[in-house]
């Protein structure tokens, strides 16, 4: 297993991380900007604006530090079903 974080030195792996971030839906990206569990909710959104996964110009928000990619390198596969 390989973990790809924001401080990854391999530019190809960083590109994969950024691409996967862009492939997420807006609601999925939005979850990465939620308050941490256990933080009291005060009824106000961040900066009094709802985080939507995109900025005010409609561009995708930058990849946050808590978004990581796990690359699995299987050694053996006993059963592989690629179709439903």
């Amino acid at each position: 297993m390989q973990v790809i974080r924001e401080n990854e030195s391999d530019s190809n792996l960083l590109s994969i991380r950024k691409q996967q971030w862009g492939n997420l839906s807006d609601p999925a990206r939005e979850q990465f900007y939620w308050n941490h569990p256990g933080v009291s909710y005060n009824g106000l959104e961040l900066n009094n604006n709802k985080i939507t996964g995109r900025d005010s110009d409609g561009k995708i928000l930058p990849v946050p530090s808590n978004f990581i990619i796990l690359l699995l390198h299987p050694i053996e596969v006993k059963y592989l079903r690629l179709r439903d």
Side-chain angles (χ1 to χ4, degrees):
M1 181 173 70
Q2 186 175 3
V3 180
I4 305 172
R5 293 185 168 94
E6 66 180 341
N7 60 352
E8 175 64 49
S9 60
D10 185 331
S11 62
N12 290 327
L13 294 177
L14 279 177
S15 176
I16 289 170
R17 181 175 176 261
K18 185 175 181 180
Q19 178 183 5
Q20 291 305 312
W21 175 252
N23 288 343
L24 292 175
S25 67
D26 288 348
R29 282 191 298 274
E30 176 183 332
Q31 295 176 47
F32 285 89
Y33 290 96
W34 287 357
N35 288 335
H36 294 287
V39 174
S40 298
Y41 178 69
N42 62 8
L44 299 175
E45 301 291 343
L46 183 63
N47 297 327
N48 294 325
N49 293 319
K50 188 175 185 319
I51 300 293
T52 62
R54 295 183 182 264
D55 65 14
S56 60
D57 295 328
K59 294 181 183 176
I60 294 174
L61 291 173
V63 185
S65 62
N66 61 342
F67 180 74
I68 62 171
I69 299 289
L70 297 177
L71 284 180
L72 303 177
H73 302 281
I75 297 169
E76 179 181 337
V77 177
K78 292 184 180 183
Y79 179 78
L80 179 63
R81 183 176 179 177
L82 299 175
R83 297 180 185 213
D84 288 335

